[in-house]
Amino acid sequence: NLTRTYNRGLNLESIEQEYSRSFFESGLRESLIFQCTGAAIELVPETYEHVGFQPIISTLLFPIPRAIYPEKESARYLFDFLDHVFGPYGQGAAMMSFGEYYLAFGWPGLIIGSFLIGWFSRRLWNWFLANQRNPFVIAAYACTVMYLYVVISRGYLPQVTMLFFFSVFPVYAVVYLVKKKIPRRRRVRRIIPQVEPAH
């Protein structure tokens, strides 16, 4: 956390003068995600309005380059809320996924969003159980489970969607292509001998 910079990777020089206490306090800063999520549920809609479909609209506009659409503000709905809560100290703050669902549509959004994650997780698990001897399926399942951490821990739908297409989707594309290239083995029908009924 101390070495992280925006758009420039990790800066190891920033920890050369730090002490153990700094590392400890830096670790505690990561827990602010729970305070930010709680703030969303406490302050919306009493002091801050729901943002509605803005996360979905921002996600659809996210792939469009700023050179084509300079007015694009993919994270404006989130930054405005963080400014409302933290003022100038909200840079880098984040909320859990259900915080964004609540920020968008209140309790119905939280329930529907959480239900969809649960439904997807169950479908993923059933798919894995049905194909657990396939190494490509195992790889796809492992990548998806790791990706689900981002889905739950980051309430920023445009980023979550972008990470899906760059980290998980390629694995599923490989599984699909392999499945099309290699035909299924024909199942060998077992011939069950018919037993004559006793007279």
Side-chain angles (χ1 to χ4, degrees), residues 61-79:
L61 296 176
F62 201 71
I64 302 174
R66 287 191 186 276
I68 298 173
Y69 184 35
E71 296 82 16
K72 182 179 75 169
E73 293 286 351
S74 300
R76 179 51 49 200
Y77 72 95
L78 189 59
F79 289 156

Side-chain angles (χ1 to χ4, degrees), residues 70-137:
E71 296 82 16
K72 182 179 75 169
E73 293 286 351
S74 300
R76 179 51 49 200
Y77 72 95
L78 189 59
F79 289 156
D80 286 347
F81 173 74
L82 294 175
D83 288 344
H84 176 76
V85 176
F86 299 109
Y89 306 104
Q91 185 181 15
M95 66 175 69
M96 304 284 283
S97 60
F98 60 87
E100 183 182 38
Y101 307 152
Y102 183 85
L103 179 62
F105 299 109
W107 292 111
L110 190 151
I111 293 168
I112 293 170
S114 301
F115 174 82
L116 290 175
I117 290 177
W119 174 82
F120 172 79
S121 300
R122 182 63 193 190
R123 290 290 301 267
L124 175 69
W125 177 243
N126 289 345
W127 178 69
F128 170 73
L129 289 179
N131 302 277
Q132 56 187 311
R133 296 188 182 277
N134 186 327
F136 294 102
V137 171

